[in-house]
Amino acid sequence: MEQAKRTEETGQGLSAVFAAVQVCSGGDVAANVAVACAALQEARARGARLAVLPENFALMADSQEQRLRHAEADGGGPIQEAIARSCRELSMWVVAGTIPVRGRDPAKVRSACLVFNDQGERVARYDKIHLFDVDLGPGERYAESEAFEAGEVPVVLDTPFGRLGLAICYDLRFPELFRALLTAGAEVVALPAAFTVPTGEAHWQILVRARAIENSCYVVAAAQGGRHDNGRTTYGHSMIVDAWGRVLALQASGRGVVTAQFDRESVADVRRRLPSVMHRRL
């Protein structure tokens, strides 16, 4: 019993509760961050040891000028400080969705996913590699490469819960990235996202489950959901999927927090029983 108590206090062990946070962010950074921090409190109250925030959780910008105005330096700024403080106060790991971080090009930013440990220390940064440049029809054109610099390097890090890989939204459509995360030892992938409604209805759940199944890993997919101040509507449907492809938790619409148990041993069990990840030839 005492050992179980120590495991909960430290976050060590083979299982832990993970959370995916769903919000509908707007252009007010302070308000968005307050909503995110409140959601983290809710996640921790429900036993979460690690929580994932959505893409653009702190700012759903309506212009590049607004995005540049709120872009932070790597390692410091009010958004980063607020999340770090929440991590310390809640003793919880947080994958802080994405925030705009200044890039090399002064006219662009990086879409940066930052990971903070339960002491509030920044322990990883992943910059979105695949930028969403598509034309889906009237009112649904996106050209992220005009506003963002692309990242170059996949990121996997050690946590008390296992090896954690990072991906962002459009990355979901590129299985080779997830293979790179698997090769680096990922047992769970955090996926902050802001999927459009047309693409979400068609592909979101299929792709999230496919990435979990083909890599025998958990996927914690935290999404934006609702109609935003800038007129954009996002699909929501935040979910946690296990290594067998089962949807353990789902938030269809609106703001909310979903939680599920991450069982590290179950990842090893799936990989042992159906060892497709060991049978790769390419």
Side-chain angles (χ1 to χ4, degrees), residues 48 61 65 91 94 124 143 162 187 195 207 216 240 246 253 255 282:
E65 185 279 329
S91 297
V94 172
E187 296 159 293
F195 252 57
L207 288 172
S216 299
I240 301 174
R246 291 172 293 214
S253 61
R255 293 174 178 169
L282 298 176

Side-chain angles (χ1 to χ4, degrees), residues 176-201:
E176 61 272 23
L177 172 61
F178 284 74
R179 280 306 202 209
L181 300 178
L182 173 67
T183 299
E187 296 159 293
V188 56
V189 175
L191 179 73
F195 252 57
T196 70
V197 170
T199 59
E201 289 177 341

